[in-house]
Amino acid sequence: ARAPPSLPCSTLPYLAIPPVDKTGEYHNIYKTQKATCRHLGRGEPIMPKKKGSQKAETGRGDTKGEREKNRLLAENTQDITCLHHPDGRYIYVSPSCKKILGYEPEKLIGKDPYELVHPEDIERIRRESLHALLEGEDVPPITYRIRKKSGEYIWFESTRQSIRDEKGNITHAVTISRDITERKRAEEALRESE
């Protein structure tokens, strides 16, 4: 398997859900102390040598039991966790995408998420989130409609966080999204009953 590009691990939060590449192999991402780790084909991050150490060390969670736990979490969560390039394209989409939206996660890798967003919501999302992300501010949860594989639109709520390198440049973004369609229907029913 081909290794994905190096990621600036010092800026990544620890993710319990390991990213999966186009081949279906999991690649763990770990937070380290101002270090960059390279992710190899089997998901074992190679950490830089510590001072006085004669060999590289692997990060936490690299045991078979940890990988199995991470796989179970990734496959059974009700939220969709994604890792994005700075331009928004998907690098990783959690397996829950198949259950919630109907898309195979690997089919979305490299695609622009705005291809799935309802056309009427695109500009509002850009206004609400882009400026805050670029300025490093907290981005409040954003609600919008997203297209399922069936063509039906459902309501989503997403939280986003920029990942920056040591110089402050945005290198990636993490989003966590959930289906809030039932909540939106209940809100609409309440408004109509008033």
Side-chain angles (χ1 to χ4, degrees), residues 79-126:
D79 293 342
I80 298 175
T81 302
C82 301
L83 182 65
H84 303 266
H85 287 284
D87 66 6
R89 290 176 295 119
Y90 292 112
I91 297 171
Y92 164 75
V93 179
S94 63
S96 55
C97 177
K98 172 72 173 162
K99 185 181 352 175
I100 297 168
L101 294 175
Y103 299 103
E104 295 292 341
E106 61 273 7
K107 298 288 186 187
L108 295 178
I109 304 302
K111 297 210 181 286
D112 183 346
Y114 285 110
E115 293 175 22
L116 305 177
V117 174
H118 193 285
E120 294 175 7
D121 295 338
I122 291 173
E123 287 308 313
R124 179 179 51 80
I125 292 171
R126 286 187 173 147

Side-chain angles (χ1 to χ4, degrees), residues 50-192:
K50 291 183 180 178
K51 287 183 180 178
S53 172
Q54 295 300 313
K55 55 185 170 181
E57 300 176 16
T58 59
R60 64 180 170 186
D62 58 352
T63 66
K64 184 177 179 182
E66 287 294 315
R67 285 192 299 267
E68 176 65 10
K69 182 172 56 175
N70 289 341
R71 183 190 63 77
L72 288 170
L73 285 168
E75 292 176 358
N76 294 291
T77 184
Q78 297 299 309
D79 293 342
I80 298 175
T81 302
C82 301
L83 182 65
H84 303 266
H85 287 284
D87 66 6
R89 290 176 295 119
Y90 292 112
I91 297 171
Y92 164 75
V93 179
S94 63
S96 55
C97 177
K98 172 72 173 162
K99 185 181 352 175
I100 297 168
L101 294 175
Y103 299 103
E104 295 292 341
E106 61 273 7
K107 298 288 186 187
L108 295 178
I109 304 302
K111 297 210 181 286
D112 183 346
Y114 285 110
E115 293 175 22
L116 305 177
V117 174
H118 193 285
E120 294 175 7
D121 295 338
I122 291 173
E123 287 308 313
R124 179 179 51 80
I125 292 171
R126 286 187 173 147
R127 271 193 323 271
E128 290 177 9
S129 65
L130 186 61
H131 177 73
L133 282 171
L134 292 175
E135 297 300 317
E137 299 170 1
D138 290 337
V139 179
I142 298 170
T143 59
Y144 57 96
R145 292 164 288 182
I146 190 164
R147 187 179 67 247
K148 295 175 68 169
K149 188 175 181 182
S150 66
E152 168 192 12
Y153 281 93
I154 60 172
W155 282 97
F156 250 31
E157 180 176 73
S158 295
T159 59
R160 299 173 55 152
Q161 180 177 340
S162 294
I163 299 171
R164 296 176 180 275
D165 64 17
E166 293 171 357
K167 295 178 183 174
N169 300 313
I170 295 175
T171 60
H172 298 83
V174 174
T175 58
I176 300 174
S177 305
R178 66 178 44 177
D179 181 354
I180 61 162
T181 305
E182 291 304 315
R183 183 175 89 194
K184 292 296 267 186
R185 287 181 185 150
E187 289 170 358
E188 183 62 30
L190 183 61
R191 271 194 300 275
E192 289 177 1

Side-chain angles (χ1 to χ4, degrees), residues 4-15 19 27-40 43-48 57 59-60 83 161 163-166 171-172 174:
S6 294
L7 298 176
C9 296
S10 64
T11 58
L12 288 174
Y14 175 74
L15 297 177
H27 300 276
N28 295 320
I29 297 176
Y30 298 97
K31 181 175 180 181
T32 64
Q33 295 301 317
K34 295 186 178 180
T36 300
C37 61
R38 209 167 27 103
H39 302 281
L40 303 178
E44 306 298 330
I46 303 301
M47 302 299 178
E57 300 176 16
R60 64 180 170 186
L83 182 65
Q161 180 177 340
I163 299 171
R164 296 176 180 275
D165 64 17
E166 293 171 357
T171 60
H172 298 83
V174 174

